[in-house]
Amino acid sequence: MKVSLFATCLVDMFQGNAGKAAVELLERLGCEIDFPESQVCCGQPAYNSGYVKESKEAMKRMITAFEHAEYVVSPSGSCAYMFHEYPHVFKGDSVWEPRAKKLAEKTYELTQFIVEVLNVDDVGAKLKGKATYHTSCHMTRLLGVKEAPVKLLKNVKGLEFEELPGKEQCCGFGGTFSVKMAQISEQMVDEKVGHIEETEAEILIGADAGCLMNIGGRIGRQGKPIRVMHIAEVLNCR
């Protein structure tokens, strides 16, 4: 099975280990991976800020970059969802709407792809420790991926899994929201960190780099002894 990796900006620039882990994990599961070097930002930050016309140029480039792909897999539920939004953005465009639909139909978040396409719920991962999982808003509410990550994490040998209280609550990142509404965002992430501490988890796991950067940054500034890991890194532990 051939898979094209949609790395995302944050993974590319800040969490390269998550991208590397995703590739190694998929290869171990029998996938042949390629990385289209022409990929850029999916356009989500500009689009969500109201710059629809400007964001379309990036979207067109991404549609073209992944046109050859059999499957597109991303270690980010938020960015994977943005590809699913493309058909709506280009609705009525006789050239780009059908191309956008084809991209959306073959795009998956990493854990969604492993469970729903590869039909695997135990990747043979091993990691000792007590952990909890942060459910990111876009991945759960918009992309609809809820069961796959939890199913995979519960099969990680040695990992004691504790459900996060208030898991449906946003961490306060929200892309540009954390910049435009910094004080509100700070209160939201403090509440999230408080819930994480309630679980007494040693490890916080998430599937979106933006959320992990936001929560991890707050954990670091407060000096909390909690390790922050992308789910791809956890599932790649042997």
Side-chain angles (χ1 to χ4, degrees):
M1 188 174 290
K2 295 182 179 180
V3 171
S4 294
L5 182 71
F6 168 26
T8 81
C9 300
L10 292 182
V11 168
D12 186 38
M13 292 187 286
F14 298 109
Q15 295 188 1
N17 284 340
K20 181 181 177 182
V23 171
E24 291 177 349
L25 175 62
L26 289 170
E27 286 181 337
R28 195 161 59 248
L29 293 173
C31 299
E32 181 183 334
I33 314 297
D34 82 295
F35 179 83
E37 295 186 7
S38 59
Q39 63 182 284
V40 292
C41 176
C42 65
Q44 183 173 170
Y47 179 73
N48 288 349
S49 297
Y51 295 97
V52 178
K53 181 180 177 181
E54 292 82 355
S55 66
K56 283 184 176 180
E57 293 308 309
M59 295 179 193
K60 288 177 181 178
R61 182 164 177 177
M62 290 298 265
I63 291 170
T64 303
F66 288 97
E67 208 138 32
H68 73 286
E70 182 177 336
Y71 289 97
V72 178
V73 176
S74 176
S76 166
S78 178
C79 297
Y81 168 73
M82 193 59 204
F83 275 11
H84 286 260
E85 185 72 5
Y86 281 13
H88 170 73
V89 176
F90 290 103
K91 189 173 181 60
D93 188 316
S94 60
V95 175
W96 290 99
E97 184 183 3
R99 295 171 72 180
K101 284 182 177 178
K102 287 180 180 179
L103 177 60
E105 288 167 358
K106 62 185 178 183
T107 297
Y108 296 84
E109 180 273 333
L110 177 65
T111 63
Q112 178 190 30
F113 180 76
I114 292 171
V115 173
E116 296 181 11
V117 180
L118 299 182
N119 295 312
V120 173
D121 57 20
D122 186 343
V123 297
K126 298 177 183 178
L127 180 64
K128 289 185 178 181
K130 188 174 184 179
T132 192
Y133 172 74
H134 165 68
T135 56
S136 59
C137 297
H138 278 182
M139 183 165 161
T140 54
R141 298 175 188 174
L142 299 178
L143 193 60
V145 178
K146 301 176 182 179
E147 304 292 334
V150 175
K151 186 177 290 186
L152 290 167
L153 288 174
K154 286 185 176 180
N155 283 322
V156 174
K157 294 174 180 63
L159 194 68
E160 182 184 347
F161 185 80
E162 191 74 29
E163 188 167 294
L164 183 64
K167 63 181 181 180
E168 72 284 349
Q169 297 172 359
C170 177
C171 72
F173 178 63
T176 56
F177 173 83
S178 60
V179 177
K180 294 178 179 178
M181 304 289 182
Q183 291 181 324
I184 298 174
S185 175
E186 182 180 329
Q187 295 301 310
M188 293 170 74
V189 74
D190 279 346
E191 186 174 23
K192 181 65 68 174
V193 173
H195 287 318
I196 294 166
E197 288 186 295
E198 286 178 40
T199 68
E200 300 182 346
E202 305 163 283
I203 307 167
L204 169 67
I205 303 168
D208 266 300
C211 297
L212 290 179
M213 185 171 66
N214 186 48
I215 304 170
R218 196 61 178 161
I219 286 173
R221 284 191 292 275
Q222 293 180 346
K224 309 290 185 182
I226 302 169
R227 184 182 179 187
V228 178
M229 297 182 72
H230 191 285
I231 195 167
E233 296 175 290
V234 175
L235 297 177
N236 195 44
C237 288
R238 306 292 286 176

